[in-house]
Amino acid sequence: MRLGGGASYLSTSLLRVLRELRAAAYVGVRIYLRYPMWILSDLITSPLWAVVILLPILLFLPPEAWGSGVVAQNFFWGMVLWYVVSTSLMGIGSAVRSEQQMGTLEQLLLTNANRAVLFTRRLTFELFSLALNIAYMYVFIQLLFGKPITVENPLPVLLVLAAAMAIAVGLGLIYGTLVLWIKNPGALSNILQFVIMGLSGIFYSIKGLPAPLQYISYALPFTYVADLLRHEAMGTPSLLPLHLEYLLVAALAVALNAAGYLAILHVEKRLKRTGKLGVY
């Protein structure tokens, strides 16, 4: 009886979480479609960010590198991962700040819904925006360099991108907890975004970094995501044995999501006790 009761409890809990995820996805889609200017903004800002990020790099490239398919591939996959990092910090992590500013955070946290679901409901339209940006950059990079973007192993690339989003959610939950605690992150989101982008080897292998910085790079989750993505898409050598790197990325995704979820519960409990939950 106890075993059956335990199984029934687990199935009920799982069903409840799935219903919450479906509701969160529905809300996310409705919010995204309510503001058509968000979609237009994605279409406009994507090439502008590409110019801002790529132009300083291109200025220092020799002329023959402009016609290199390898350079075009590095830039394309680098921009894809840049969007993933941006989703983690700006989309998921800063969602807490948006709820604070709209005055809905306390009401949301008074419900018994899963806290991780509340903070990841933006994930639905962030995924839509990511797909839109990937398609947009696919065309933009090919027009810029005149070289086709090819993928050596499509299915593993999709697997790595799924792992990248899982890691992005975990980091977003941790960063969202920090935002919940400090209230106003200011420029911290942008600073972290460019630090992660630079030290994780988003556009290049970390082997090109000075030795002391490489130690920091090896401690960052997106280092391994970027490395695996280039390996599967372009055939470049991996930093670690391939099976070990996949296991590491999977473990990081699980650990970061668990840590983010526990951190949210801890900070929420403290802020409720001090009466500062809805203060910003």
Side-chain angles (χ1 to χ4, degrees):
M1 290 295 292
R2 281 181 294 180
L3 288 176
S8 176
Y9 173 77
L10 288 175
S11 62
T12 302
S13 299
L14 179 60
L15 184 61
R16 173 185 163 187
V17 172
L18 290 176
R19 285 174 175 169
E20 290 175 359
L21 286 171
R22 184 180 65 179
Y26 176 76
V27 171
V29 171
R30 290 296 300 269
I31 292 175
Y32 188 73
L33 296 179
R34 189 184 302 165
Y35 303 101
M37 289 303 295
W38 285 1
I39 302 176
L40 182 61
S41 174
D42 284 337
L43 292 173
I44 294 174
T45 58
S46 294
L48 293 179
W49 272 114
V51 170
V52 169
I53 293 173
L54 300 184
L55 185 59
I57 302 174
L58 294 174
L59 288 175
F60 290 94
L61 283 177
E64 59 271 16
W66 279 74
S68 169
V70 174
V71 173
Q73 296 264 55
N74 272 310
F75 280 151
F76 173 72
W77 294 113
M79 288 302 299
V80 169
L81 285 177
W82 180 79
Y83 288 125
V84 173
V85 174
S86 177
T87 295
S88 178
L89 299 176
M90 306 292 191
I92 301 170
S94 295
V96 179
R97 179 66 175 162
S98 299
E99 298 291 353
Q100 287 176 330
Q101 291 174 322
M102 290 189 296
T104 55
L105 183 63
E106 272 191 298
Q107 286 76 13
L108 286 172
L109 293 181
L110 285 174
T111 70
N112 62 348
N114 186 290
R115 295 309 185 237
V117 172
L118 290 176
F119 292 125
T120 57
R121 66 179 183 172
R122 290 171 60 102
L123 185 61
T124 306
F125 64 79
E126 290 293 346
L127 286 173
F128 179 80
S129 179
L130 175 65
L132 186 66
N133 283 319
I134 288 176
Y136 204 92
M137 290 308 303
Y138 180 80
V139 175
F140 180 78
I141 293 294
Q142 290 187 102
L143 290 176
L144 180 64
F145 288 93
K147 295 290 182 179
I149 302 297
T150 58
V151 181
E152 290 200 3
N153 303 304
L155 289 179
V157 164
L158 291 176
L159 179 62
V160 174
L161 287 175
M165 287 306 301
I167 287 177
V169 170
L171 284 175
L173 291 176
I174 293 172
Y175 183 64
T177 303
L178 177 63
V179 173
L180 187 61
W181 179 258
I182 65 176
K183 306 302 181 185
N184 187 1
L188 184 59
S189 299
N190 289 319
I191 293 172
L192 283 176
Q193 184 177 8
F194 283 97
V195 168
I196 292 173
M197 184 174 67
L199 294 179
S200 296
I202 298 297
F203 290 97
Y204 46 78
S205 172
I206 63 168
K207 293 295 186 181
L209 292 174
L213 290 180
Q214 288 187 30
Y215 292 114
I216 302 175
S217 297
Y218 278 112
L220 298 177
F222 279 109
T223 296
Y224 305 101
V225 172
D227 184 61
L228 278 177
L229 188 59
R230 279 193 295 268
H231 171 79
E232 299 295 2
M234 301 170 56
T236 59
S238 57
L239 291 173
L240 303 175
L242 195 58
H243 68 282
L244 182 60
E245 199 157 356
Y246 267 107
L247 286 174
L248 179 59
V249 167
L252 286 170
V254 173
L256 288 170
N257 278 276
Y261 182 66
L262 293 174
I264 285 174
L265 294 180
H266 175 71
V267 171
E268 178 192 347
K269 184 177 179 181
R270 286 183 61 91
L271 292 178
K272 281 181 175 178
R273 189 164 59 244
T274 58
K276 296 181 179 179
L277 185 60
V279 177
Y280 71 94

